[in-house]
Structures are given as C-alpha cells and as structure tokens.
Amino acid sequence: MKTLTTRKSAIAGSTALAAILSAGMAAAGSPEPAPAEPTVPAPAEPAPAMTDWTGFYGGGQLGFGDVSTSGAADLDGDGAIGGVTLGYDHDFGSYVLGGALDYDFADIDLDGASTVENVARLKVRGGPKIGTDGLLYATAGAAQAEADGFDSDSGWFVGAGYEQMVTDRFAVGAEALYHEFDDFDDSGIDVEATTVQLRGTFRF
C-alpha cells in the first residue's frame, strides 16, 4: 500500500511539473504584441504671408470733385477730376507710413464765374494693415489749386483711403479728401472742395 501511494504521489508530482513546464514554454514561445505606431499630427498650414508695402509706387486716379465758395462770392460746381500719383511707403510690420505727390486735372465750372483747372498735393499717409493684403490709412498735407481768372493758391487737405493688393505689385483703392483754400489769391473768396477717387497703383 505504501509503495502504491508513493507511486501515485510521484505521478501526480510529475504531471504537475509537466503542466508548469508546458505553460512556461507556451508563454515563452508566444510573440509579444507589437507596440502601437505613434500618432504623428499633421503639420499645421503656415499662415499666409502679409504684404510688404515698403517701396516706391506710381499710378493714376479718377473720380468726382465738389467745390463751393464763400466770402466775397458764393459759387458752386462739381465734375470729374483725375490724374497721377507717385509715392513711397515704409512697412513697419503692423502699420505703414509714407508720403506721396498727386497731380489732378479738373474742369469744374463754378457757376460760370471761374473753373477749377488742377489740384496738386504733397501728402503724408499712415495706417494699419488689414488682413494679409489691405491697408487702411489717414492722410493730410498741403494742396495747391489753380482756377481760371486767378493765380494758383495753396491750402490744406485731410482725408482717408483704403488700398488692396490684387497681385504682388498692383493695388486698387479709393480715397476721399476734404480741401480748404482760405482767401484764394487774396480775393476774399474761401474755397472748399471734396474729392472722391478710385486709384490704381503699381509698386516697383
């Protein structure tokens, strides 16, 4: 009996040992799961580059002028006005400063008493960049006008405008200006003029 019990114990022990070894071998032979591929985020699209407004420009402008006088004569008139512009801007990153010279031809009849023939301006302008290709600006400076029957006389103007680059070098825009000429040519006549013009300029 004792021998039989011993044999049974040995067999049971051998069976348990074989089961443990088999489980260990199975675990050792099982391939480990491959590590997950790291997720690489898609690169962000670069922000559009803003226009650099630094440089010289030249172009033309065309629009409408309204003129009135007070003092020694009360006259009114309106009509087309247009000409050329040449200037320079410097881009400071978020805003632009510059200067320009305008020369406009006109044929604005003032109740038959006189005719405004031309207006020249020496201007400064400056303002913030809008979006990637826009410029909103204020402008002011000195003006000189010539009218039939008078010598030319000087005055001042203020205004505002907007320009939008439509190609790398060409911009379109609009500008409104208010002018004053006090005691024009010592005549006792004060002149006020408002102009609204569309502009096209080429930067070089």
Side-chain angles (χ1 to χ4, degrees):
M1 280 301 282
K2 185 175 180 180
T3 302
L4 181 60
T5 302
T6 302
R7 286 181 179 177
K8 286 182 178 179
S9 298
I11 292 170
S14 298
T15 303
L17 179 59
I20 292 170
L21 291 174
S22 297
M25 292 176 66
S30 299
E32 293 185 3
E37 289 286 337
T39 302
V40 179
E45 293 187 5
M50 297 181 73
T51 292
D52 184 352
W53 294 83
T54 297
F56 289 95
Y57 64 88
Q61 53 200 20
L62 180 64
F64 176 83
D66 182 80
V67 181
S68 63
T69 71
S70 59
D74 188 6
L75 307 172
D76 292 284
D78 55 58
I81 184 170
V84 295
T85 183
L86 178 67
Y88 177 84
D89 288 324
H90 189 85
D91 193 321
F92 289 90
S94 59
Y95 66 96
V96 175
L97 293 177
L101 178 65
D102 296 350
Y103 188 87
D104 281 336
F105 299 95
D107 186 20
I108 300 176
D109 178 69
L110 300 178
D111 294 332
S114 182
T115 301
V116 178
E117 298 178 335
N118 57 68
V119 179
R121 306 178 195 88
L122 179 62
K123 64 170 64 171
V124 293
R125 72 173 188 169
K129 296 162 71 170
I130 304 297
T132 58
D133 299 314
L135 175 63
L136 180 66
Y137 63 89
T139 183
Q144 186 175 55
E146 187 173 348
D148 181 42
F150 298 90
D151 289 334
S152 60
D153 204 353
S154 58
W156 56 269
F157 72 92
V158 295
Y162 178 81
E163 283 193 13
Q164 179 77 25
M165 294 295 294
V166 294
T167 72
D168 289 343
R169 293 184 177 274
F170 186 72
V172 296
E175 187 177 77
L177 304 175
Y178 170 78
H179 309 68
E180 275 197 12
F181 303 88
D182 295 329
D183 191 18
F184 196 91
D185 190 25
D186 297 324
S187 64
I189 300 174
D190 298 328
V191 180
E192 298 180 2
T194 301
T195 59
V196 179
Q197 294 177 296
L198 298 178
R199 296 159 48 92
T201 56
F202 182 80
R203 309 192 78 84
F204 49 88

